């Protein structure tokens, strides 16, 4: 029993202490396909299915740095305060697709090639649905 408890503790520490930040693919088969060309504006704003998928995608890929429900603890930007319009969409997609590197340090892994366009826009729809408190 003691070994199991220690194993669970170690796993929890990795999950919440940055641990593995390998991006996780997201099932988007319930969403309307968007095609090969990258859109400039979120087509899923207010879409309940996209928000549900985006919430799952966020918990799997974003929460460890951006905080639960996008309430940042200071490690990464608080995504709730991005502009809700096309400027926010553009910044969000640029960062999610390409990641963030400063002075040779990876602050955020690139998600292009791991998440499809539908998953990225679903993430944006979820974040936009959160209260800005």
């Amino acid at each position: 029993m003691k070994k199991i408890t220690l194993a669970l503790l170690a796993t929890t520490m990795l999950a919440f202490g940055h641990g593995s930040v390998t991006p996780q693919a997201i099932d988007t088969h319930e969403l309307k396909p968007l095609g090969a060309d990258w859109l400039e504006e979120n087509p899923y704003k207010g879409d309940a299915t996209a928000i549900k998928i985006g919430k799952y995608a966020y918990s799997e890929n974003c929460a460890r740095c951006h905080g639960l429900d996008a309430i940042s603890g200071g490690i990464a930007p608080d995504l709730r305060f991005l502009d809700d319009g096309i400027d926010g969409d553009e910044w969000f997609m640029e960062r999610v697709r390409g990641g963030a590197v400063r002075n040779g340090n990876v602050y955020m892994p690139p998600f292009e090639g791991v998440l499809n366009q539908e998953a990225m826009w679903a993430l944006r729809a979820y974040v936009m649905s959160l209260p800005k408190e």
Side-chain angles (χ1 to χ4, degrees), residues 83-127:
D83 180 69
D84 284 340
I86 195 164
D87 289 339
D89 286 350
E90 181 181 356
W91 186 92
F92 182 87
M93 288 303 278
E94 180 182 312
R95 190 55 56 112
V96 173
R97 289 177 68 188
V101 177
R102 277 184 258 147
N103 300 323
N105 296 315
V106 176
Y107 283 79
M108 179 173 154
F111 285 82
E112 189 167 351
V114 176
L115 296 182
N116 60 22
Q117 178 173 206
E118 291 81 0
M120 292 182 196
W121 285 124
L123 273 164
R124 175 79 167 133
Y126 166 66
V127 171

Side-chain angles (χ1 to χ4, degrees), residues 31-121:
L31 297 173
K32 174 186 145 205
L34 300 177
D37 294 332
W38 287 91
L39 303 178
E40 293 182 17
E41 195 167 0
N42 189 352
Y44 298 140
K45 289 178 187 173
D47 181 301
T49 301
I51 291 169
K52 177 187 77 169
I53 291 169
K55 181 176 183 174
Y56 176 77
Y58 184 89
S59 70
E60 292 297 304
N61 291 296
C62 311
R64 69 178 53 92
C65 295
H66 290 279
L68 298 176
D69 295 324
I71 300 170
S72 178
I75 294 174
D78 191 317
L79 301 175
R80 298 171 301 152
F81 297 107
L82 289 178
D83 180 69
D84 284 340
I86 195 164
D87 289 339
D89 286 350
E90 181 181 356
W91 186 92
F92 182 87
M93 288 303 278
E94 180 182 312
R95 190 55 56 112
V96 173
R97 289 177 68 188
V101 177
R102 277 184 258 147
N103 300 323
N105 296 315
V106 176
Y107 283 79
M108 179 173 154
F111 285 82
E112 189 167 351
V114 176
L115 296 182
N116 60 22
Q117 178 173 206
E118 291 81 0
M120 292 182 196
W121 285 124

Side-chain angles (χ1 to χ4, degrees), residues 2-17 19-20:
K2 194 179 256 186
K3 287 181 183 179
I4 292 172
T5 303
L6 288 174
L8 286 172
L9 179 60
T11 303
T12 301
M13 287 171 48
L14 284 176
F16 293 106
S20 172

